[in-house]
């Protein structure tokens, strides 16, 4: 798996460009956040073709670049869990006011449900984990083959996602992390929505929120 990280906006959101191989031109974009200009430049310079945008959740700092990508690549499809789907179209729910803007995107083409246990992305088979708590429809995507998991704002290096926003739930988030993520192999690389990469083993040992 080829993973490129582009850090976007004042909230320094980790946006990921994912391909099965380095020479592959089609790619998937995970969480295109605020100020997506550097992401668009990256895609154009490398002549990449985004075919889908997968959103780990619906907060503004993870969805703000959706319409910009749709403008340049009209055929791109947007994927989000059904419990966060309204955040795309509702600025009040996606917390736009906190970013000093009004982000309102068109509806997603694909709405994931709890019935969806796997998602095929650019030739890579990901196991889907619904991890509510930061938002009701937070998801994580795990590739057993590559030992990689994209966790959005569910888990960070030494921390966890905020639960003091509307619809946040601390107990649900802790339960989701412990029952779905911490059972992954300790060497699994964790790609969070903000901050540095970590591993499942590192967080099991040292994350103060999970003891």
């Amino acid at each position: 798996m080829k993973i490129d990280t582009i850090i976007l906006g004042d909230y320094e959101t980790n946006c990921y460009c994912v391909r099965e191989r380095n020479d592959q031109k089609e790619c998937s974009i995970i969480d295109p956040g605020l100020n997506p200009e550097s992401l668009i430049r990256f895609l154009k310079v490398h002549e990449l073709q985004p075919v889908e945008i997968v959103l780990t959740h619906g907060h503004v700092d993870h969805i703000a670049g959706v319409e910009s990508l749709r403008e340049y690549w009209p055929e791109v499809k947007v994927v989000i869990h059904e419990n966060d789907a309204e955040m795309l179209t509702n600025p009040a729910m996606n917390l736009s006011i906190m970013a000093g803007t009004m982000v309102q995107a068109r509806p997603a083409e694909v709405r994931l449900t709890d019935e969806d246990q796997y998602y095929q992305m650019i030739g890579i088979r990901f196991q889907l984990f619904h991890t509510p708590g930061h938002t009701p429809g937070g998801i994580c995507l795990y590739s057993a083959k590559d030992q990689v998991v994209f966790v959005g704002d569910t888990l960070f290096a030494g921390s966890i996602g905020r639960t003091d926003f509307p619809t946040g739930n601390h107990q649900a988030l802790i339960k989701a992390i412990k029952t779905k993520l911490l059972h992954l192999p300790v060497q699994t690389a964790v790609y969070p929505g903000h901050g540095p990469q970590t591993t499942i083993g590192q967080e099991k040992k040292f994350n103060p929120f999970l003891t």
Side-chain angles (χ1 to χ4, degrees):
M1 186 188 306
K2 171 63 174 172
I3 303 168
D4 291 291
T5 306
I6 302 94
I7 300 174
L8 300 178
D10 291 341
Y11 293 94
E12 298 187 335
T13 302
N14 291 330
C15 172
Y16 298 107
C17 175
V18 180
R19 291 173 278 166
E20 187 178 16
R21 306 177 315 277
N22 188 46
D23 62 347
Q24 186 176 16
K25 291 303 182 182
E26 289 189 336
C27 63
S28 294
I29 304 298
I30 297 177
D31 291 349
L34 293 154
N35 308 115
E37 294 81 11
S38 59
L39 168 62
I40 293 169
R41 284 196 300 271
F42 173 84
L43 294 171
K44 288 189 170 185
V45 165
H46 294 279
E47 299 180 339
L48 299 178
Q49 177 70 38
V51 299
E52 62 196 341
I53 300 168
V54 180
L55 304 172
T56 61
H57 63 290
H59 282 157
V60 62
D61 56 324
H62 292 254
I63 70 168
V66 164
E67 288 304 320
S68 294
L69 290 180
R70 278 173 162 162
E71 179 180 346
Y72 286 97
W73 294 278
E75 300 303 315
V76 70
K77 66 179 181 180
V78 176
V79 183
I80 195 170
H81 192 278
E82 64 176 358
N83 290 358
D84 276 11
E86 191 177 349
M87 290 184 176
L88 276 171
T89 59
N90 188 329
M93 292 185 67
N94 65 39
L95 307 183
S96 287
I97 192 170
M98 294 185 62
T101 184
M102 289 291 284
V103 171
Q104 188 172 22
R106 286 169 286 166
E109 284 78 15
V110 179
R111 294 189 178 193
L112 302 170
T113 73
D114 287 350
E115 301 295 318
D116 298 307
Q117 298 183 20
Y118 295 93
Y119 187 75
Q120 190 81 9
M121 188 166 71
I122 304 298
I124 306 167
R125 187 172 188 257
F126 285 93
Q127 186 173 356
L128 282 175
F129 299 121
H130 179 208
T131 52
H134 181 64
T135 65
I139 61 167
C140 299
L141 301 108
Y142 169 61
S143 167
K145 177 183 176 182
D146 294 279
Q147 297 188 331
V148 163
V149 62
F150 296 97
V151 298
D153 287 3
T154 295
L155 179 66
F156 302 119
S159 188
I160 60 172
R162 290 180 61 170
T163 56
D164 57 335
F165 294 131
T167 72
N169 186 314
H170 181 79
Q171 289 183 331
L173 183 64
I174 295 296
K175 179 181 179 182
I177 293 171
K178 288 186 173 181
T179 60
K180 297 179 181 178
L181 297 182
L182 295 191
H183 289 292
L184 298 176
V186 294
Q187 67 271 24
T188 302
V190 176
Y191 286 81
H194 305 269
Q197 180 183 331
T198 183
T199 66
I200 291 296
Q202 181 80 4
E203 298 316 303
K204 287 179 75 170
K205 285 185 178 179
F206 301 112
N207 193 313
F209 294 90
L210 304 176
T211 57

